[in-house]
Amino acid sequence: MMNMDIDEEPFQSTSTRPQRATRVIAPVDEAHPFDVESYISNYSGRTAIDRLTNIVQTCPSIAPEAFQLAVQHIHQSRNPGLYQNLLSAYENAANSLDLPAPLPNPMEVAPLNMEWADETTAKNNAERSKLEVELRTYSNNMIKESIRMAHRDLGFFYRSVGEYSGALRHFAKIREYCTTSQHILDMCLSILELLLEQRHYSHISTYVFKAEAALEAAQNSSNTGNGGNGDSTGVPTPSVTTGKKKSSLERQQVQSKLELATALSHLGQASYEKAAQSFLRIGPAKELGDWIGTVVSPGDIAVYGTLCALSALPRSALRSQLLHNAVFNVYIEQEPYMRELIEAYMGSNFKTVLELLNRYSTRHLIDIHLAPHINELIDQIRNWAVVLYFQPFSTIKLDRMSKAFGWTVEEVEKNVVQLIQNGSIQGRVDSQNKILYAKKTDYRADLFARATKAATDIQATNRKLLLRMKLQQADLVIKSPKGTTSSAMMEMMAEARMT
């Protein structure tokens, strides 16, 4: 059985959650279309409420509609306290200076059903008491499996009512009563859901590693258990074959969830290349099971994976890993504009790329996982586009680049100068004539320098070989005693040098 320590520190405070430095107001108009009802229909549970709360704060123009939808979802939950968080977000939206008209009173938009709140609170208290009594009873009777399940039920209960520190405490206690690798794996997945829900990205990789180890142990245990089953000829029986197929399917489902958790962790920590690789390895949506809708939607995977890939991967990798990825293409179908974005980028139609990113900026800014990183991702995509556009040219007028990107000449010059300064473009700008010149490379001198270096390296190697041959001829080589290994001989020589 594997040993595993659970770190309860992540849930002591939510202050480590990534936040945008300044509040961003996302527009919703003809130039930036967004249908909140269609968007939120892809989610359920706490993530739907969190996303609607973020929309209320980020898009004041549609705050009343999002507020009303959020209250509906709160009434379907077990946590009346979420209404207070929603009210705070609505008040922040109402204080925006650029609103054409004041927002209506939240109590008039969608008041909280106080009767439901009181009933839900009473039911929560009754269930908490019941579960705690069951846990004490099982603990007194020393029924190990029952104690494990009691802690699991309490963990799920505390998570449903929004008490995440209590949920983690009980999930951590499960480890003491796990008797199989499958139990450990289930515990890791439960903790990962908590981490993703609270967006504690830095701790996710630890539990992914532990879950992978438990998954491997569970797989080995399953194979060992089925190893001797078969008929007298050694051919596996149908039940064994079915069991192996089921085990393989379960492994793929868990692996897809771990890939998703890893991808979101990398995205949350601004490791966009690693995030892209992980998003592109995620299996079909059916393998993610109940994480679809409660953690992310298929459209989210398409948006996250595409933007991370465009910002970090070269064209050759995009072609092989993105365009030719049959599984990921199914996700892209959920967000058709992502297909347009990829085709425009691969076709060097960079003006269309930037227009699409601007048109759907609201969709990106309201996303709870993507919003803190969207500006940096767009900057990197734009920088890649400028570098790729300039690659075939030795000289090019900035006026021509401005038409290709839809920028002013001054914006083009500013971006090009930044890329030259950070080394992305090897060239110089003629500010007077507004021309970009590529840095001229003397290929003949470069070839001569590389040949000279190679000759020097060969000469040095030959000298060392000749010296060794002379030492061997003069019998000046120390030979290891019989029965002594080379590593032991090296240790003896090191000790001799130290003395």
Side-chain angles (χ1 to χ4, degrees), residues 440-479:
K440 294 183 179 180
T441 304
D442 190 339
Y443 295 104
R444 184 173 182 177
D446 182 57
L447 177 61
F448 183 77
R450 286 190 284 114
T452 302
K453 184 179 182 302
T456 303
D457 293 341
I458 292 173
Q459 193 175 31
T461 303
N462 288 340
R463 283 201 194 97
K464 293 175 183 178
L465 289 172
L466 289 171
L467 176 60
R468 179 173 177 79
M469 290 172 60
K470 293 292 184 183
L471 290 172
Q472 288 177 334
Q473 289 175 0
D475 200 20
L476 294 176
V477 178
I478 300 176
K479 298 179 180 179

Side-chain angles (χ1 to χ4, degrees), residues 198-445:
Q198 288 293 285
R199 303 190 284 287
H200 290 288
Y201 302 109
S202 60
H203 302 280
I204 290 175
S205 59
T206 301
Y207 294 100
V208 168
F209 174 77
K210 294 172 181 178
E212 287 176 341
L215 178 62
E216 191 65 30
Q219 183 71 17
N220 292 338
S221 176
S222 176
N223 291 339
T224 303
N226 293 330
N229 294 332
D231 59 19
S232 58
T233 61
V235 178
T237 60
S239 60
V240 173
T241 304
T242 304
K244 287 184 177 180
K245 288 182 179 179
K246 182 179 179 181
S247 176
S248 176
L249 178 60
E250 291 174 351
R251 180 185 178 88
Q252 291 173 3
Q253 292 173 343
V254 173
Q255 197 63 51
S256 289
K257 289 183 176 182
L258 297 182
E259 287 290 359
L260 175 59
T262 301
L264 290 173
S265 172
H266 289 315
L267 174 60
Q269 298 176 87
S271 299
Y272 303 128
E273 184 175 358
K274 293 180 179 178
Q277 300 287 356
S278 295
F279 278 121
L280 295 174
R281 287 196 298 265
I282 294 175
K286 64 180 181 180
E287 292 184 359
L288 294 173
D290 56 355
W291 281 26
I292 290 293
T294 59
V295 177
V296 295
S297 69
D300 290 335
I301 295 174
V303 172
Y304 302 160
T306 301
L307 293 180
C308 288
L310 292 179
S311 71
L313 300 182
R315 274 185 171 178
S316 57
L318 289 174
R319 188 173 292 105
S320 61
Q321 299 178 37
L322 183 60
L323 290 178
H324 297 162
N325 188 330
V327 174
F328 194 78
N329 281 330
V330 176
Y331 288 114
I332 291 177
E333 297 302 324
Q334 304 297 319
E335 298 286 348
Y337 77 95
M338 282 289 119
R339 174 76 64 191
E340 298 177 33
L341 183 66
I342 296 169
E343 291 176 353
Y345 186 88
M346 297 303 291
S348 298
N349 191 355
F350 299 123
K351 184 177 180 180
T352 302
V353 170
L354 298 177
E355 287 174 349
L356 286 169
L357 289 173
N358 178 65
R359 179 173 176 79
Y360 294 97
S361 59
T362 300
R363 163 69 176 85
H364 304 151
L365 287 170
I366 56 90
D367 191 283
I368 56 178
H369 296 291
L370 184 63
H373 309 277
I374 187 59
N375 289 333
E376 187 176 352
L377 286 168
I378 291 177
D379 286 345
Q380 292 191 18
I381 293 172
R382 183 181 62 240
N383 292 343
W384 267 106
V386 174
V387 172
L388 289 171
Y389 185 85
F390 178 62
Q391 270 184 349
F393 301 98
S394 58
T395 62
I396 186 172
K397 291 184 177 181
L398 298 185
D399 179 67
R400 180 175 176 181
M401 292 184 70
S402 71
K403 294 177 181 177
F405 286 91
W407 297 336
T408 63
V409 175
E410 289 74 20
E411 289 175 332
V412 172
E413 184 175 359
K414 180 182 176 181
N415 282 285
V416 168
V417 169
Q418 288 179 348
L419 293 172
I420 291 174
Q421 289 175 343
N422 64 29
S424 299
I425 290 180
Q426 301 298 319
R428 60 186 178 85
V429 176
D430 182 346
S431 296
Q432 183 174 358
N433 298 315
K434 303 299 181 184
I435 298 175
L436 174 60
Y437 294 94
K439 182 179 178 181
K440 294 183 179 180
T441 304
D442 190 339
Y443 295 104
R444 184 173 182 177

